[in-house]
Amino acid sequence: MPAFSWPLSRQTVLDLNGNAVAGAQLRFFLAGTTTPLIAYADDALSVPLPASPDFIASDAHGRWPRVYLPYRNYKEEVRSAAGVLLWNDDGIANPAPASSGGGGTVPDSERFRTGDPKWSFEPGQIVGFVRLNALTIGNASSGATERANADTEALFIWLWSRLDHTVCPVAGGRGVSGAVDYAAGKTLGLPDWRGRAPFGLDTMGNSAANRLTGATFDQGNSSTSGSYGGRATNTLAQANLPAVAPTGSVTGALNNITALTGIGSVAITPGGAGDAAAKNPVATSIPVSFSSPLTFTGNALGSGTAFNGMPGFGLVTWHLKL
């Protein structure tokens, strides 16, 4: 059950003289704050009751209706029909009960708390969690696409206060607080972890480890929670090639020489039927000078196709505790 029945439901409210108070005014707030806490008429938290500045009223006999509250610490304020304060009790503990048997209460340190992530092989929704799929959460009237229900309030406020608008956008822009935006029926976008793996912040309360230097960020930076980036494939640039000085030689005939300067020699063997030297051929080396370099053009190598840089992986669904 996502809610508990308020202990004074169906009870009669009395004034300081012990008289039943018809039309008494009941309001709930988050513990230690003036932020209204919405109460409900059903344990599924689907039928909201009036919240501050409005109030839940006792009937003509001074009895409260059946009231359900989400599991979280709260403050309750009761006034007479004329607005005279009868009591204002703060810090009322209302933890969620342990889900397993065996008696006793599971300590908070051993339970999933609002904002705690977990992965699962279950691709669908899990009770008490939402998926990190970039869809939205909000109250029952918000039209949110991942979950529109009163049990999203704590996570809505938790994400609103920790991740900025670029990671968790609020429909229509952010107001003065997460509680105000939630009560106004706005939706909040969940972080997008589709196809992503978690990495530790480069700082985490310490100086930067500089292990993410050069990493590509699509949003944020190496020391901001919720930042994301990286690439599944990469394309090498010329600057990424190894530093190699190629060596070699060019062989073949010298044809159509048009400009020669410098120092060198050309070997010539005289010959020819009418040449006197043919009767006594002598190989002659004639000094020449040249400057024209020997150049060549080769065929292009490679195609510039991106290569896959993904490590081995296994796929799961990321869920976040409401």
Side-chain angles (χ1 to χ4, degrees):
M1 181 184 296
F4 92 117
S5 177
W6 182 53
L8 297 184
S9 296
R10 302 300 186 195
Q11 302 298 310
T12 301
V13 59
L14 304 176
D15 63 16
L16 299 180
N17 298 315
N19 300 314
V21 182
Q25 303 173 5
L26 170 64
R27 297 179 176 89
F28 293 101
F29 303 89
L30 299 178
T33 75
T34 58
T35 302
L37 175 63
I38 300 174
Y40 295 84
D42 64 318
D43 62 5
L45 302 181
S46 62
V47 182
L49 295 170
S52 182
D54 295 325
F55 53 85
I56 302 168
S58 63
D59 64 18
H61 303 286
R63 292 182 303 179
W64 300 117
R66 177 65 63 186
V67 176
Y68 291 90
L69 294 173
Y71 287 115
R72 58 187 317 170
N73 297 347
Y74 66 94
K75 174 174 67 176
E76 66 182 39
E77 177 187 281
V78 176
R79 295 179 180 271
S80 69
V84 177
L85 181 66
L86 298 180
W87 72 80
N88 187 327
D89 295 339
D90 199 354
I92 301 173
N94 182 28
S99 59
S100 59
T105 301
V106 178
D108 282 349
S109 59
E110 298 178 13
R111 295 190 293 123
F112 277 105
R113 291 179 288 183
T114 296
D116 285 349
K118 77 170 184 176
W119 61 261
S120 171
F121 291 117
E122 171 55 59
Q125 293 185 342
I126 296 176
V127 174
F129 291 80
V130 290
R131 295 163 295 185
L132 296 176
N133 56 9
L135 295 180
T136 58
I137 59 173
N139 65 29
S141 62
S142 66
T145 52
E146 173 66 3
R147 185 165 180 80
N149 192 278
D151 60 8
T152 62
E153 181 180 10
L155 180 60
F156 187 108
I157 296 172
W158 192 92
L159 289 171
W160 194 102
S161 64
R162 287 166 174 79
L163 301 180
D164 66 28
H165 186 75
T166 57
V167 178
C168 292
V170 175
R174 295 196 175 198
V176 296
S177 71
V180 170
D181 283 351
Y182 186 85
K186 293 184 178 182
T187 60
L188 178 139
L190 293 164
D192 187 0
W193 273 33
R194 294 172 297 169
R196 290 188 169 127
F199 276 58
L201 290 175
D202 203 40
T203 49
M204 285 198 283
N206 198 346
S207 58
N210 296 319
R211 297 188 179 113
L212 296 174
T213 301
T216 300
F217 284 91
D218 298 318
Q219 173 60 45
N221 54 61
S222 63
S223 60
T224 301
S225 288
S227 299
Y228 54 84
R231 295 289 182 274
T233 60
N234 293 277
T235 302
L236 285 177
Q238 185 172 355
N240 300 127
L241 298 176
V244 176
T247 61
S249 61
V250 177
T251 60
L254 297 176
N255 298 318
N256 301 320
I257 297 176
T258 59
L260 293 173
T261 60
I263 304 298
S265 63
V266 177
I268 299 175
T269 302
D275 194 332
K279 299 177 181 179
N280 187 20
V282 177
T284 305
S285 179
I286 302 174
V288 299
S289 61
F290 59 90
S291 62
S292 297
L294 298 176
T295 62
F296 68 93
T297 300
N299 294 325
L301 300 177
S303 64
T305 301
F307 65 92
N308 192 329
M310 289 286 283
F313 56 83
L315 299 182
V316 296
T317 297
W318 286 104
H319 303 264
L320 204 63
K321 183 71 176 73
L322 291 170

